[in-house]
């Protein structure tokens, strides 16, 4: 007599498939609003160094998106919302190009990286004294064989600092302390454009 029945199945967050350890991003609490570097910090076997370089068991890794080798700068345009899962191979296997070194981290996207995709992010933070504003725009266009990607970000930071100066007048046997407040405003502009093409 039921009109409708909904059945929901969830994958385990971490699974094992042959020689791969798989981090199912969309089954985790990090499935929305996180950077790639945040995902890698909790991915098994992967180590993020202080300078944000990526390694597996102390060796450099080959980064891939949908089994295509990419540069790490390309990953900054991808968010956790775009990623279905992350596959980690701690050593080379027969199905990986012989030119790669170390382990392999392969990002499987929710959708094929085809056509045009754009994202705009903006934030404004008010502090007791000062404020921070940040905007970021990413654009990606391509096919299964090649992609052109670019981004522009702008940040403006307004903050205050206190300066305390002590002046010691030895002849008067007197010390004078002065305190001043200084406003600091900085602006940052970052541009990036990249291209990659898979020949085979």
């Amino acid at each position: 007599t039921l009109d409708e029945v909904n059945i929901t199945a969830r994958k385990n967050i971490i699974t094992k498939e042959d020689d791969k350890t798989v981090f199912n991003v969309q089954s985790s609490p990090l499935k929305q609003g996180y950077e790639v570097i945040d995902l890698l910090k909790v991915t098994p076997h992967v180590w993020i160094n202080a300078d944000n370089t990526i390694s597996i068991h102390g060796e450099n890794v080959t980064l891939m998106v949908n089994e295509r080798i990419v540069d790490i700068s390309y990953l900054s345009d991808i968010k956790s919302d775009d990623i279905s899962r992350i596959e980690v191979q701690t050593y080379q296997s027969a199905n990986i190009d012989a030119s790669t070194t170390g382990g392999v981290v392969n990002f499987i996207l929710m959708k094929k990286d085809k056509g045009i995709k754009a994202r705009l992010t903006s934030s404004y933070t008010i502090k007791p004294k000062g404020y921070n504003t940040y905007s970021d725009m990413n654009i990606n266009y391509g096919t299964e064989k090649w992609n052109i990607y670019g981004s522009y970000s702008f940040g403006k930071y307004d903050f205050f600092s206190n300066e305390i100066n002590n002046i010691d007048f030895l002849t008067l046997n007197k010390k004078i302390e002065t305190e001043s407040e200084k406003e600091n405003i900085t602006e940052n502009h970052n541009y990036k454009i990249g291209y990659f093409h898979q020949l085979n």
Side-chain angles (χ1 to χ4, degrees):
T1 60
L2 295 176
D3 294 330
E4 182 180 357
V5 175
N6 292 324
I7 299 175
T8 302
R10 291 184 175 89
K11 290 183 178 179
N12 292 328
I13 296 177
I14 305 297
T15 57
K16 189 77 174 176
E17 297 180 9
D18 298 326
D19 59 348
K20 300 175 184 177
T21 299
V22 179
F23 173 22
N24 295 297
V25 176
Q26 294 305 309
S27 298
S28 78
L30 306 181
K31 63 182 180 180
Q32 289 183 327
Y34 287 88
E35 305 288 338
V36 166
I37 202 73
D38 298 321
L39 299 178
L40 291 175
K41 287 178 180 178
V42 296
T43 301
H45 307 299
V46 177
W47 179 262
I48 307 297
N49 299 310
D51 58 354
N52 281 346
T53 56
I54 305 167
S55 62
I56 294 177
H57 301 323
E59 296 186 1
N60 293 332
V61 302
T62 298
L63 299 173
M64 308 180 82
V65 172
N66 292 338
E67 299 185 353
R68 294 184 304 180
I69 297 176
V70 298
D71 184 81
I72 190 171
S73 63
Y74 180 73
L75 296 177
S76 63
D77 295 327
I78 300 175
K79 308 298 181 186
S80 61
D81 312 56
D82 306 318
I83 301 172
S84 170
R85 61 187 197 163
I86 302 174
E87 300 176 347
V88 178
Q89 289 178 265
T90 57
Y91 56 89
Q92 295 297 338
S93 60
N95 64 325
I96 299 297
D97 192 307
S99 63
T100 59
T101 59
V104 175
V105 179
N106 183 30
F107 297 85
I108 304 299
L109 302 184
M110 297 288 289
K111 296 180 180 180
K112 289 288 186 180
D113 212 7
K114 294 162 54 177
I116 188 168
K117 180 179 68 177
R119 177 185 284 110
L120 176 64
T121 305
S122 186
S123 65
Y124 186 86
T125 306
I126 300 176
K127 299 183 176 182
K129 288 186 177 180
Y131 63 88
N132 291 342
T133 181
Y134 178 81
S135 297
D136 177 77
M137 181 177 66
N138 298 302
I139 298 178
N140 188 313
Y141 178 77
T143 69
E144 291 186 357
K145 291 288 186 179
W146 59 268
N147 282 87
I148 297 175
Y149 59 94
S151 67
Y152 165 72
S153 63
F154 168 75
K156 186 174 182 180
Y157 310 96
D158 182 10
F159 61 95
F160 290 80
S161 60
N162 292 323
E163 295 182 356
I164 298 177
N165 298 308
N166 290 310
I167 303 175
D168 193 358
F169 293 92
L170 297 177
T171 56
L172 300 177
N173 194 25
K174 188 176 181 181
K175 180 180 288 187
I176 298 177
E177 183 178 273
T178 62
E179 182 176 354
S180 62
E181 190 174 62
K182 182 180 180 182
E183 183 179 17
N184 303 276
I185 299 177
T186 61
E187 293 185 358
N188 292 326
H189 297 266
N190 293 294
Y191 308 85
K192 181 180 68 177
I193 187 168
Y195 170 82
F196 69 81
H197 183 222
Q198 184 163 316
L199 298 178
N200 55 31

